[in-house]
Amino acid sequence: MDRSFVIGIDYGTDSVRSVLVDVSSGVEVSSSVFYYPRWKAGKYCQAVNSQYRQHPLDYLEGLESTIKDCLEKSSIADIGNMVTAISVDTTGSTPIAVNQDGVPLAMLDEFKDNPNAMFILWKDHMAIKEANELNEHAEKYPINYLKYVGGVYSSEWYWAKLLHILRKDEAVRQATFSWVEHCDYIPFVLTGGSDARQLKRGVCSAGHKALFASEFGGVPPKDFFTDWDPLLAPILDHIFTETYTAAESAGTLSPEWAYRLGLNEQVKIGIGAFDCHMGAVGGQIEPYHLSKVMGTSTCDIVVVPKDEVGDTLVRGICGQVDGSVIPGMLGMEAGQSAFGDAYAWFKKLLMWPLDFMVSKSDLLSTETIESLKEEYESNLLIQLSAKAEELEINLDSEFAIDWFNGRRTPDANQELKGAIGGLGLGSDAPRIFRSIVEATCFGAKSIVDRFESEGIPIKGLIALGGVAKKSPFIMQMMADVMNAPIKVHKSEQTCALGAAMFAATVAGHYASVEDAMHAMGQGFEKTYQPNPQKVSIYAKRYNRYKELGGFLESFTSKN
């Protein structure tokens, strides 16, 4: 029997990963990771101002590098002619300004070092003012144009970021023809797109971030946006009116990219989607099960049959969109703005003496200093977890609020800040770290509570991503806080594997995404069961978390 392969590409916050997958079994033949060099060097970002930008060259260089590396590592003769499709997932909302040819402005000489001409990463929160304006503006209309995005528009999303850039940078404004999500841009590039008006938009990005809905006939009417700010008018003159599911094709691989990658021109390119949506498929999501992709942030996905939901609208989530995960089902998205990022922040805090004091010491050689830093950094969270796990917890133990990068859900509010309370002279690093982990688990529970209070029962929990695989301490605490079992998927690359499943569907190897998911899924490696002895104390501490969170939110709104 002829063997066929597909490539799934997962664009994360720090890197892009490609996997070469056997269509018949879902076995990962090879994989490759590319860390964005400009991002790693800290270019174009100002964390203190919540500015996070990425250059398109990081993405394009990573695209070529990882695919070619996957093919080379496979050691399969004539592999280039055995690949039938490629599909892509990305972070989101991560949009960029493009000209009429669909070229990102940062690829032009006059904008090559302008952060406003680059991809605005999902966690960039410079558009808080614009998001607040849009939420107030939407209340003036008899039609609730925000009802399919949880009723609250976020600064992390498409329209808020667009208006912020148009207001901030006149040169970029004058050069902008359209505004394109990362997950829609990569398929456009691979298919040789040269006209932004022909770019195919995925229903995932359009529905969850750009207010696209069939009920509205597309995005809300032009006057809805121009009454908000006339600067949006030129973009709206050629806004998209049609969307596609990720099970559909964006076209075939262009001659240029076929040559660059060592593939043939018959390779089909799938419509792009967000990482957590494809990751949920890679992690074998089931109806009414919450799939939690745990990385720098979390993205929580639930799929439900449309005929069972009726007119139910869940307040304060990141949208419910027909076909955004699995065609024919309603995809619901929620998430936390900081998960792994919260741990990384604390790690960076503890690294300060090494980075800024030991590095200047005359007592140690440069080589010794670098080795010391590397050893310290690689073991820090491991040792903190081990010590934190030994701690006895009571109602008065240190506690925290996980809004270190604002709150995504429930009820998006990126103005909110994190907090650590209950500190005393005995509060040490493991105790504070434990409280931060606990807070991220409480934030996860608040999302489940919102779904259930709005009429969407959560029948099971599925954990995916690096944290789920690498930290038994965090996962056990999550099960204790949730008071529910949590299944951890076997695959370390569920997002890329999910993209591969979509690619297999696009290529026609499977009749549906569900068929691809069942045939190519890798199953689960472990289930964390709640510890009955800890469930009650976490339930009491969760109430304290909600009380402190309510106070902080009230305090923020007064300022």
Side-chain angles (χ1 to χ4, degrees):
M1 185 178 73
D2 291 337
R3 297 180 71 190
S4 295
F5 302 87
V6 292
I7 295 174
I9 305 173
D10 170 38
Y11 280 94
T13 299
D14 301 319
S15 63
V16 56
R17 180 183 299 272
S18 291
V19 294
L20 178 67
V21 177
D22 188 315
V23 167
S24 63
S25 63
V27 170
E28 180 185 299
V29 176
S30 60
S31 66
S32 180
V33 182
F34 178 91
Y35 291 91
Y36 311 133
R38 297 161 189 81
W39 171 260
K40 188 175 181 179
K43 291 187 175 181
Y44 318 120
C45 298
Q46 298 174 4
V48 69
N49 295 321
S50 294
Q51 175 182 301
Y52 296 99
R53 310 293 164 84
Q54 292 184 328
H55 200 287
L57 284 175
D58 274 354
Y59 297 160
L60 296 177
E61 291 167 3
L63 175 68
E64 183 171 0
S65 173
T66 55
I67 292 180
K68 291 168 72 173
D69 192 36
C70 277
L71 298 177
E72 184 176 340
K73 285 178 177 177
S74 72
S75 301
I76 298 173
D78 200 30
I79 184 63
N81 286 315
M82 301 168 73
V83 174
T84 58
I86 298 172
S87 283
V88 177
D89 72 67
T90 74
T91 63
S93 178
T94 301
I96 195 168
V98 300
N99 64 14
Q100 188 167 339
D101 295 332
V103 176
L105 298 190
M107 298 291 284
L108 307 177
D109 285 343
E110 60 266 42
F111 295 110
K112 64 181 181 180
D113 292 316
N114 185 340
N116 298 321
M118 297 177 190
F119 282 96
I120 316 297
L121 192 63
W122 62 269
K123 67 178 183 178
D124 186 297
H125 290 161
M126 295 193 76
I128 288 176
K129 177 176 182 291
E130 286 74 16
N132 289 341
E133 288 178 4
L134 180 52
N135 286 314
E136 293 178 8
H137 177 67
E139 294 178 359
K140 304 173 186 175
Y141 288 79
I143 298 175
N144 181 5
Y145 290 115
L146 304 185
K147 67 180 183 178
Y148 293 116
V149 294
V152 181
Y153 204 80
S154 169
S155 64
E156 292 184 348
W157 299 347
Y158 186 93
W159 292 108
K161 288 178 172 177
L162 169 57
L163 184 54
H164 177 78
I165 295 300
L166 295 182
R167 286 173 170 175
K168 183 180 180 66
D169 196 316
E170 182 177 358
V172 169
R173 180 173 75 242
Q174 295 298 330
T176 299
F177 180 82
S178 190
W179 191 243
V180 180
E181 286 283 0
H182 183 193
C183 62
D184 297 327
Y185 169 70
I186 298 298
F188 177 76
V189 168
L190 288 173
T191 56
S194 59
D195 183 347
R197 292 168 296 190
Q198 303 301 315
L199 191 149
K200 292 184 176 180
R201 314 276 183 151
V203 70
C204 176
S205 58
H208 285 280
K209 311 303 178 187
L211 302 179
F212 186 97
S214 57
E215 180 182 324
F216 308 150
V219 300
K222 183 176 181 178
D223 61 2
F224 173 81
F225 293 104
T226 55
D227 287 349
W228 174 25
D229 195 311
L231 289 179
L232 292 166
I235 304 294
L236 294 160
D237 287 337
H238 31 78
I239 196 65
F240 56 95
T241 57
E242 193 172 1
T243 61
Y244 305 84
T245 71
E248 297 177 84
S249 174
T252 55
L253 193 61
S254 71
E256 176 192 352
W257 278 94
Y259 175 77
R260 289 172 66 172
L261 299 175
L263 299 172
N264 66 69
E265 296 174 30
Q266 285 72 50
V267 173
K268 290 186 177 180
I269 306 300
I271 296 293
F274 290 144
D275 46 8
C276 54
H277 294 248
M278 286 191 171
V281 171
Q284 297 172 269
I285 194 170
E286 301 175 47
Y288 297 105
H289 282 59
L290 186 140
S291 172
K292 195 169 188 69
V293 182
M294 301 176 176
T296 52
S297 66
T298 74
C299 192
D300 301 350
I301 297 293
V302 179
V303 294
V304 295
K306 291 187 294 183
D307 58 351
E308 296 180 11
V309 176
D311 296 328
T312 300
L313 292 171
V314 181
R315 295 178 300 108
I317 63 172
C318 304
Q320 48 194 81
V321 178
D322 185 5
S324 66
V325 182
I326 297 175
M329 300 190 80
L330 197 65
M332 298 183 170
E333 177 191 339
Q336 295 167 261
S337 291
F339 196 80
D341 265 355
Y343 317 144
W345 164 79
F346 190 58
K347 179 170 125 176
K348 184 177 180 181
L349 192 71
L350 297 183
M351 284 290 294
W352 189 88
L354 277 176
D355 287 337
F356 294 96
M357 296 181 68
V358 176
S359 294
K360 298 177 182 179
S361 173
D362 295 328
L363 300 177
L364 301 172
S365 68
T366 300
E367 182 179 334
T368 300
I369 290 172
E370 291 305 312
S371 296
L372 179 63
K373 288 172 62 176
E374 183 179 342
E375 180 184 24
Y376 184 76
E377 184 172 12
S378 63
N379 287 299
L380 182 54
L381 292 186
I382 295 172
Q383 294 301 320
L384 282 173
S385 295
K387 292 299 182 182
E389 194 170 13
E390 297 173 358
L391 297 172
E392 290 291 333
I393 305 305
N394 58 52
L395 190 60
D396 296 322
S397 297
E398 293 85 355
F399 55 91
I401 301 296
D402 57 317
W403 301 333
F404 293 94
N405 199 26
R407 184 179 64 205
R408 181 177 295 162
T409 45
D411 306 314
N413 187 340
Q414 306 310 151
E415 292 184 292
L416 297 175
K417 303 295 184 182
I420 301 173
L423 298 176
L425 293 178
S427 299
D428 57 15
R431 286 177 168 79
I432 295 173
F433 177 70
R434 193 217 62 82
S435 74
I436 294 171
V437 171
E438 181 188 60
T440 58
C441 293
F442 287 157
K445 179 170 172 54
S446 69
I447 291 171
V448 171
D449 286 354
R450 175 57 61 89
F451 275 115
E452 294 190 329
S453 68
E454 296 287 300
I456 304 297
I458 301 301
K459 299 179 180 180
L461 299 169
I462 299 172
L464 317 168
V467 175
K469 299 282 288 183
K470 297 175 183 177
S471 180
F473 169 63
I474 294 173
M475 294 312 304
Q476 183 59 57
M477 189 185 294
M478 182 76 72
D480 296 342
V481 167
M482 294 287 194
N483 192 21
I486 302 177
K487 295 192 296 184
V488 178
H489 201 267
K490 280 184 180 179
S491 174
E492 294 189 6
Q493 312 301 335
T494 49
C495 293
L497 178 60
M501 292 174 179
F502 276 99
T505 307
V506 169
H509 297 293
Y510 296 100
S512 68
V513 175
E514 292 96 324
D515 289 344
M517 181 168 62
H518 294 315
M520 300 171 68
Q522 301 301 301
F524 301 89
E525 68 176 17
K526 185 171 185 177
T527 299
Y528 287 90
Q529 299 287 346
N531 182 342
Q533 297 177 334
K534 293 186 177 181
V535 167
S536 60
I537 186 63
Y538 281 126
K540 294 175 182 177
R541 288 179 62 81
Y542 178 56
N543 288 330
R544 176 165 290 190
Y545 167 87
K546 291 189 290 185
E547 290 172 2
L548 178 59
F551 168 77
L552 288 176
E553 189 164 7
S554 175
F555 179 79
T556 301
S557 65
K558 292 177 181 178
N559 291 274

